[in-house]
Amino acid sequence: MDDNKIRVLIAKPGLDGHDRGAKVVARALRDAGMEVIYTGLRQTPEMIAEAALQEDVDVIGLSILSGAHMALVPRVLELLRGNKQEHVQVFIGGIIPDEDIPRLLEMGVSGVYGPGTLTDDIIRDIRENTRRQREQT
Amino acid sequence: MNLVAEILSGNRLALARLLTKIENDSPEGVSTLDALFPYTGKAYLIGVTGAPGTGKSSLVNQLALHFRKTPGKEASPRVAVVAVDPSSPFSGGAILGDRIRMRDLSGDPDVFIRSMASRGVLGGIAQATASVVQALDAAGYGLILIETVGAGQAEVDIARLAHTTLVVEAPGMGDDIQAIKAGILEIADILVINKADRPGIENTETALRNMLQLGHPLPRDLRHHGKWVDQPVEADKAEIPNVWLPPIVRTVATEGKGIPELAEKIYMHKQYLHTSGEWETREQTRLETELINHLKSGLLSHWRNSITDQLYQDVLEKVYDRKLSPRQAVTLFLESEYD
Ligand SMILES: Nc1nc2c(ncn2[C@@H]2O[C@H](COP(=O)(O)OP(=O)(O)OP(=O)(O)O)[C@@H](O)[C@H]2O)c(=O)[nH]1
Ligand SMILES: [Mg+2]
């Protein structure tokens, strides 16, 4: 794998005010050698897509606890496509009902990580996906 | 279209990609930057530095908003922000959190924000930042704000890139003035005491004033408009001074207080740089330094390729054994070139 840094945007869309989980993931990714752009609470899909564009990230991690994932996620993916950034992996952390997971994956989400997920698993998936992605280009 | 044309035509994804290539020190990044060089030299660069948590990002947010929405004396420029944070020395990773305070800027297509980790880059983070700034300049961002955490030489070097450097202080961060400890006060063109809503502001300002007077020439030595002056001429007056003493400005970045006043001082400093001729001098010094740095590394690798490894190793051994000083070794190398 090329040793160019993996750049990750961690964002917290929706209206709930808890970003502890997002911060834990951000720190774990930093400790795994990644550059994490942390944008904080209450991000709209537009803000997320704009930041992803300017920062040229490889990965976006969305922390969603509000239950609004079925509205937020497709919108983020659509905006990314509009910006010609369909190559960006989008993963979701938070509380997602089991029955929604297959639909999210179908839309193009790279992974859904519920409470209790080991950060090591997220790191492994990001590395693997990024390696594959970079080989293609 | 190639990358150069894309960037000149305002393609933001192409610009973002170029910035990544520059950070990764890729050959395509270097050649694109070279092709863009004729389009650079137009932007006005403002450095914002200071101890962690003093409110630099919040200020950058407010200043960018101000310059976008209140064009004032000049046409409203397109604004870029480069926010540099340290990489973890342990993992090489970084958390770049400056955007948290800049959410007011989102949705404006004429604002471009880029977060940068200091990494362990070759040639230093200052060089990488200079290149990133050059790319933004060529892409037509007329005003570029560069945020760094003032903690060491690297940050001071980055601040030297800027035409105007703001050093940000805040009260209640311990008894000492943080900027003095970090040795960055001398690079300040404007001193900002942010968090002016906090107790301790008077002490901070007094301490700063005392430090400034120590660090600057005695009033008697100053000539102002050709006349000797008794008082230090601070850039408090509406006219453009021909001697610049860093003014102190109080702000509350979270509420936007003091921002128009700060913007006015920035504008005056810019005018001062032009009328005093310092703008030209700074630009030329910076370009010559860059030329010399490239010349050094170019000459070194050219020379290294021209001699055998054997000769190099032999001489190096003599230096290790202290039979030759490094200086004598260089003389020997340079003479052997003409044999
Ligand atoms: N009371 C008060 N708080 C402020 C002011 N300006 C910023 N803050 C707060 O101070 C904290 C740090 O602000 P930032 O703008 O992130 O400071 P910074 O210097 O960019 O921080 P680093 O990039 O981490 O070094 C935040 O919680 C801000 O809301 C101010 O004028 N008054
Ligand atoms: Mg900051």
mmCIF file of all heavy atoms in Angstrom, chain B residues 58 91 94 118 128 148 160 181 205 209 213 219 234 282 317 332:
data_model
loop_
_atom_site.group_PDB
_atom_site.id
_atom_site.type_symbol
_atom_site.label_atom_id
_atom_site.label_comp_id
_atom_site.label_asym_id
_atom_site.label_seq_id
_atom_site.Cartn_x
_atom_site.Cartn_y
_atom_site.Cartn_z
ATOM 1 N N SER B 58 -11.814 30.593 16.013
ATOM 2 C CA SER B 58 -13.002 31.438 16.141
ATOM 3 C C SER B 58 -12.750 32.803 15.505
ATOM 4 O O SER B 58 -13.642 33.374 14.858
ATOM 5 C CB SER B 58 -13.372 31.626 17.611
ATOM 6 O OG SER B 58 -13.460 30.382 18.268
ATOM 7 N N SER B 91 1.962 8.271 16.471
ATOM 8 C CA SER B 91 1.301 7.493 15.420
ATOM 9 C C SER B 91 1.455 8.117 14.042
ATOM 10 O O SER B 91 1.217 7.469 13.037
ATOM 11 C CB SER B 91 -0.189 7.374 15.741
ATOM 12 O OG SER B 91 -0.827 8.638 15.591
ATOM 13 N N ALA B 94 -3.369 12.533 13.108
ATOM 14 C CA ALA B 94 -3.700 13.849 13.663
ATOM 15 C C ALA B 94 -5.204 13.997 13.766
ATOM 16 O O ALA B 94 -5.946 13.379 12.997
ATOM 17 C CB ALA B 94 -3.134 14.955 12.778
ATOM 18 N N SER B 118 0.886 18.718 10.454
ATOM 19 C CA SER B 118 2.265 19.167 10.229
ATOM 20 C C SER B 118 3.161 18.042 9.699
ATOM 21 O O SER B 118 4.160 18.283 9.068
ATOM 22 C CB SER B 118 2.846 19.758 11.507
ATOM 23 O OG SER B 118 2.835 18.783 12.529
ATOM 24 N N ALA B 128 5.771 23.053 2.914
ATOM 25 C CA ALA B 128 4.516 22.463 2.447
ATOM 26 C C ALA B 128 3.380 23.486 2.533
ATOM 27 O O ALA B 128 2.558 23.587 1.628
ATOM 28 C CB ALA B 128 4.175 21.216 3.265
ATOM 29 N N THR B 148 -1.938 28.717 12.727
ATOM 30 C CA THR B 148 -0.994 27.747 13.277
ATOM 31 C C THR B 148 -0.996 27.858 14.790
ATOM 32 O O THR B 148 -1.257 28.915 15.339
ATOM 33 C CB THR B 148 0.446 28.012 12.803
ATOM 34 O OG1 THR B 148 0.825 29.343 13.161
ATOM 35 C CG2 THR B 148 0.593 27.837 11.316
ATOM 36 N N ARG B 160 6.055 33.522 9.079
ATOM 37 C CA ARG B 160 6.867 34.401 8.238
ATOM 38 C C ARG B 160 6.384 34.455 6.803
ATOM 39 O O ARG B 160 6.722 35.364 6.054
ATOM 40 C CB ARG B 160 8.333 33.928 8.241
ATOM 41 C CG ARG B 160 9.010 34.211 9.542
ATOM 42 C CD ARG B 160 10.440 34.707 9.352
ATOM 43 N NE ARG B 160 10.995 35.063 10.640
ATOM 44 C CZ ARG B 160 11.593 34.180 11.448
ATOM 45 N NH1 ARG B 160 11.742 32.930 11.074
ATOM 46 N NH2 ARG B 160 12.054 34.567 12.618
ATOM 47 N N LYS B 181 6.416 33.068 26.127
ATOM 48 C CA LYS B 181 7.070 31.790 26.379
ATOM 49 C C LYS B 181 7.447 31.113 25.067
ATOM 50 O O LYS B 181 8.514 30.565 24.921
ATOM 51 C CB LYS B 181 6.135 30.868 27.176
ATOM 52 C CG LYS B 181 6.460 30.882 28.654
ATOM 53 C CD LYS B 181 5.890 29.665 29.344
ATOM 54 C CE LYS B 181 4.416 29.833 29.582
ATOM 55 N NZ LYS B 181 3.779 28.770 30.290
ATOM 56 N N GLU B 205 -3.306 42.752 29.199
ATOM 57 C CA GLU B 205 -2.950 43.877 28.342
ATOM 58 C C GLU B 205 -1.732 44.625 28.886
ATOM 59 O O GLU B 205 -0.831 44.994 28.122
ATOM 60 C CB GLU B 205 -4.141 44.828 28.163
ATOM 61 C CG GLU B 205 -3.765 46.007 27.304
ATOM 62 C CD GLU B 205 -4.925 46.638 26.550
ATOM 63 O OE1 GLU B 205 -6.024 46.052 26.510
ATOM 64 O OE2 GLU B 205 -4.701 47.726 25.993
ATOM 65 N N ARG B 209 1.773 45.156 26.963
ATOM 66 C CA ARG B 209 2.326 46.482 26.689
ATOM 67 C C ARG B 209 3.755 46.606 27.189
ATOM 68 O O ARG B 209 4.621 47.138 26.505
ATOM 69 C CB ARG B 209 1.468 47.578 27.336
ATOM 70 C CG ARG B 209 0.265 47.881 26.515
ATOM 71 C CD ARG B 209 -0.357 49.226 26.782
ATOM 72 N NE ARG B 209 -1.677 49.222 26.166
ATOM 73 C CZ ARG B 209 -1.891 49.408 24.867
ATOM 74 N NH1 ARG B 209 -0.880 49.690 24.067
ATOM 75 N NH2 ARG B 209 -3.099 49.333 24.369
ATOM 76 N N GLN B 213 7.138 47.267 24.839
ATOM 77 C CA GLN B 213 8.039 48.398 24.960
ATOM 78 C C GLN B 213 9.485 47.949 25.081
ATOM 79 O O GLN B 213 10.382 48.614 24.595
ATOM 80 C CB GLN B 213 7.619 49.279 26.134
ATOM 81 C CG GLN B 213 6.676 50.363 25.622
ATOM 82 C CD GLN B 213 5.805 50.941 26.703
ATOM 83 O OE1 GLN B 213 6.110 50.830 27.879
ATOM 84 N NE2 GLN B 213 4.718 51.556 26.290
ATOM 85 N N PRO B 219 11.242 55.494 21.896
ATOM 86 C CA PRO B 219 10.470 56.485 21.154
ATOM 87 C C PRO B 219 11.354 57.552 20.519
ATOM 88 O O PRO B 219 11.099 57.983 19.400
ATOM 89 C CB PRO B 219 9.579 57.114 22.221
ATOM 90 C CG PRO B 219 9.610 56.225 23.393
ATOM 91 C CD PRO B 219 10.734 55.268 23.241
ATOM 92 N N GLU B 234 1.698 54.531 17.833
ATOM 93 C CA GLU B 234 0.984 53.293 17.646
ATOM 94 C C GLU B 234 0.062 53.447 16.460
ATOM 95 O O GLU B 234 -0.356 54.552 16.139
ATOM 96 C CB GLU B 234 0.168 52.975 18.898
ATOM 97 C CG GLU B 234 0.617 51.668 19.493
ATOM 98 C CD GLU B 234 -0.297 51.228 20.578
ATOM 99 O OE1 GLU B 234 -1.529 51.263 20.355
ATOM 100 O OE2 GLU B 234 0.214 50.861 21.638
ATOM 101 N N ARG B 282 9.659 42.136 1.408
ATOM 102 C CA ARG B 282 9.316 40.830 1.969
ATOM 103 C C ARG B 282 9.133 39.777 0.887
ATOM 104 O O ARG B 282 9.620 38.664 0.995
ATOM 105 C CB ARG B 282 8.014 40.917 2.780
ATOM 106 C CG ARG B 282 8.196 41.503 4.146
ATOM 107 C CD ARG B 282 6.958 41.237 4.975
ATOM 108 N NE ARG B 282 6.976 42.038 6.192
ATOM 109 C CZ ARG B 282 6.176 41.843 7.227
ATOM 110 N NH1 ARG B 282 5.273 40.885 7.196
ATOM 111 N NH2 ARG B 282 6.251 42.609 8.288
ATOM 112 N N GLU B 317 34.744 8.465 6.019
ATOM 113 C CA GLU B 317 35.486 7.715 7.040
ATOM 114 C C GLU B 317 36.532 8.602 7.709
ATOM 115 O O GLU B 317 36.734 8.549 8.917
ATOM 116 C CB GLU B 317 36.187 6.496 6.417
ATOM 117 C CG GLU B 317 35.244 5.363 6.024
ATOM 118 C CD GLU B 317 34.478 4.777 7.209
ATOM 119 O OE1 GLU B 317 35.019 4.812 8.340
ATOM 120 O OE2 GLU B 317 33.337 4.315 7.010
ATOM 121 N N LEU B 332 38.103 19.355 -0.115
ATOM 122 C CA LEU B 332 38.668 18.232 -0.864
ATOM 123 C C LEU B 332 37.728 17.774 -1.980
ATOM 124 O O LEU B 332 38.121 17.591 -3.124
ATOM 125 C CB LEU B 332 38.918 17.081 0.112
ATOM 126 C CG LEU B 332 39.693 15.890 -0.434
ATOM 127 C CD1 LEU B 332 41.180 16.203 -0.388
ATOM 128 C CD2 LEU B 332 39.394 14.644 0.397
#
